[in-house]
Amino acid sequence: MDFLQQIGYAGLNSRIKRLSDELLYSTRDYYKNAGLNIEPNWHLIFLLLEKHNSLTITEISQELRMSHPACVKIINKMKKKNYIETKTDKNDSRKQLLELSEKSKNKLPNLHKHWDACIETTKELIENSPNFMQELTEFEKLVADKNYNERTIENVKEL
Amino acid sequence: MDFLQQIGYAGLNSRIKRLSDELLYSTRDYYKNAGLNIEPNWHLIFLLLEKHNSLTITEISQELRMSHPACVKIINKMKKKNYIETKTDKNDSRKQLLELSEKSKNKLPNLHKHWDACIETTKELIENSPNFMQELTEFEKLVADKNYNERTIENVKEL
DNA sequence: TAATTATTTGTAACTGGTTACGTAAATATT
DNA sequence: AATATTTACGTAACCAGTTACAAATAATTA
């Protein structure tokens, strides 16, 4: 029983962060061991561009609900390693249309093999937690409706 | 329904990260709005040093199950703002004994007021998720027993 | 049409973690 | 007692997000 568990509700946010970090770093180990020359957070970009063929930074950041500078950073790394190609939109020169490169398309079958293994692992980890996905969704919904900051302001009791 | 939810198990790790980030940044907003001049991740250090009076970097990193360089970074910031004082252990000059400063002790009542509000918020967020804490604990236990990397290696199906 | 506003993308500076490596002190071994 | 190993702490370089600001283009409004 570790300290974060001992302190109950006070430790929940940090436990979620700790778990998130553990999963991220362990996934990175896996990618490295498997000889994949990609970062874990490229996964979703691959999936999105596989599905939509061509997207802009703004569209990706909306799909993933992540800030656009975060997406820019990921995309730049992927471009540097030739996983993504860009062209400027003909009708709106501000927009950069992003597409998977040939290199990416060639690698996708192998990548999917590993992503499938990840899915199996995830299933394994929550197979005895039948409510986890649903309750996580509820959690996401609640913080989307009113965030932690706003809720806590209302919960402060002035001394 | 966003993309991460659409893709089911494949999106779980990223959803946990996204939630973790959202909670972290929103908590930082709260601290800022409340005029507290501290970072969210100092919380656990305060609680630990309140409980144990004096701890070393190594002990803190073990209690929190976090790398020691991460703890060093946090502690250095807290020292820079005079929340923590250090003295060298008389019996082992490698060890730095960390203690809360007078400034910290004076601020603790006010800090606890806000931390209590955070606890209320957390309760609010999971009040309709009666299994969340328990299933999270199970999740933590499973990845501690065998991490995501090791599990996924076993789940790969060679083509 | 000219001026204002909004959108898209990029950059800088910040927080928050990790692993890998180095140094000094303590402990164990020979 | 001298040498080797372990422990404690610190630093550097990396990944992954955020907010705030800036510049260029597009869209709207006066």
Side-chain angles (χ1 to χ4, degrees):
Chain A
M1 181 97 169
D2 75 323
F3 184 67
L4 265 56
Q5 289 175 350
Q6 280 172 39
I7 59 177
Y9 293 114
L12 183 62
N13 292 8
S14 295
R15 284 170 66 187
I16 293 172
K17 168 140 188 62
R18 187 172 63 178
L19 179 61
S20 161
D21 284 339
E22 161 67 21
L23 293 173
L24 177 63
Y25 297 125
S26 203
T27 302
R28 183 145 61 202
D29 282 347
Y30 176 75
Y31 280 23
K32 200 171 183 179
N33 293 337
L36 310 178
N37 203 7
I38 66 172
E39 295 292 334
N41 58 1
W42 298 7
H43 181 188
L44 299 170
I45 309 285
F46 276 115
L47 292 186
L48 269 176
L49 288 176
E50 202 179 10
K51 182 182 174 191
H52 287 101
N53 211 15
S54 169
L55 290 171
T56 66
I57 290 277
T58 304
E59 287 165 341
I60 288 177
S61 75
Q62 286 163 348
E63 288 280 347
L64 301 184
R65 305 209 177 154
M66 207 159 64
S67 73
H68 84 268
C71 296
V72 169
K73 282 190 196 178
I74 299 171
I75 297 294
N76 280 342
K77 287 190 185 175
M78 294 180 75
K79 278 164 75 175
K80 192 170 282 177
K81 293 217 175 177
N82 300 114
Y83 285 100
I84 282 185
E85 285 165 1
T86 58
K87 45 187 175 187
T88 306
D89 188 313
K90 285 175 186 170
N91 305 316
D92 185 342
S93 68
R94 293 171 306 180
K95 292 183 183 173
Q96 293 293 309
L97 302 178
L98 308 175
E99 284 182 20
L100 293 179
S101 66
E102 277 307 307
K103 176 180 176 181
S104 284
K105 285 173 187 164
N106 292 334
K107 292 206 172 194
L108 274 174
N110 187 47
L111 290 174
H112 273 293
K113 182 185 78 181
H114 293 289
W115 292 331
D116 287 345
C118 289
I119 289 173
E120 287 309 308
T121 300
T122 299
K123 281 185 186 165
E124 211 174 285
L125 290 172
I126 61 171
E127 73 183 347
N128 293 318
S129 299
N131 311 285
F132 195 77
M133 292 289 270
Q134 175 202 321
E135 293 188 351
L136 177 63
T137 305
E138 171 74 5
F139 203 138
E140 290 169 327
K141 187 182 161 299
L142 289 175
V143 294
D145 288 348
K146 200 196 311 182
N147 67 31
Y148 203 89
N149 172 34
E150 293 163 341
R151 289 175 186 274
T152 309
I153 289 172
E154 293 177 10
N155 286 331
V156 169
K157 294 183 185 70
E158 289 308 325
L159 298 176
Chain B
M1 181 94 168
D2 76 324
F3 184 66
L4 265 57
Q5 289 175 350
Q6 281 172 40
I7 59 178
Y9 293 115
L12 183 62
N13 292 8
S14 295
R15 284 169 67 186
I16 293 173
K17 167 140 188 64
R18 187 171 63 177
L19 178 61
S20 161
D21 285 338
E22 161 66 23
L23 294 173
L24 176 63
Y25 297 124
S26 203
T27 302
R28 183 146 63 200
D29 282 346
Y30 176 75
Y31 280 23
K32 200 171 183 178
N33 292 337
L36 310 178
N37 203 7
I38 66 171
E39 295 292 335
N41 58 0
W42 299 7
H43 181 187
L44 300 170
I45 309 285
F46 276 115
L47 292 186
L48 269 176
L49 288 176
E50 202 179 8
K51 182 182 173 192
H52 287 102
N53 209 14
S54 169
L55 289 171
T56 67
I57 291 275
T58 303
E59 287 165 341
I60 287 176
S61 75
Q62 286 164 349
E63 288 280 347
L64 301 184
R65 305 208 178 156
M66 206 160 64
S67 72
H68 84 268
C71 296
V72 169
K73 282 190 195 178
I74 299 171
I75 297 294
N76 280 343
K77 288 189 184 175
M78 294 179 75
K79 277 165 76 175
K80 193 170 282 177
K81 294 218 175 177
N82 299 115
Y83 285 100
I84 281 185
E85 285 165 1
T86 57
K87 46 187 176 188
T88 306
D89 188 313
K90 285 174 186 171
N91 304 317
D92 186 341
S93 67
R94 293 171 305 180
K95 293 183 183 173
Q96 292 293 309
L97 303 177
L98 307 175
E99 284 183 21
L100 293 179
S101 66
E102 278 308 306
K103 177 180 175 183
S104 283
K105 286 173 187 164
N106 291 335
K107 291 206 173 194
L108 275 174
N110 187 47
L111 290 174
H112 273 292
K113 182 185 78 181
H114 293 290
W115 292 331
D116 287 345
C118 289
I119 289 173
E120 287 309 307
T121 300
T122 298
K123 282 184 186 166
E124 212 173 284
L125 290 172
I126 61 170
E127 73 183 346
N128 293 319
S129 299
N131 311 285
F132 195 77
M133 292 288 271
Q134 176 203 321
E135 294 188 351
L136 176 64
T137 305
E138 171 73 5
F139 203 138
E140 290 169 327
K141 187 182 161 300
L142 289 175
V143 294
D145 289 348
K146 200 196 310 183
N147 67 31
Y148 203 89
N149 171 34
E150 293 163 341
R151 288 175 185 273
T152 310
I153 288 172
E154 293 177 9
N155 285 332
V156 169
K157 294 183 184 70
E158 290 307 324
L159 297 176

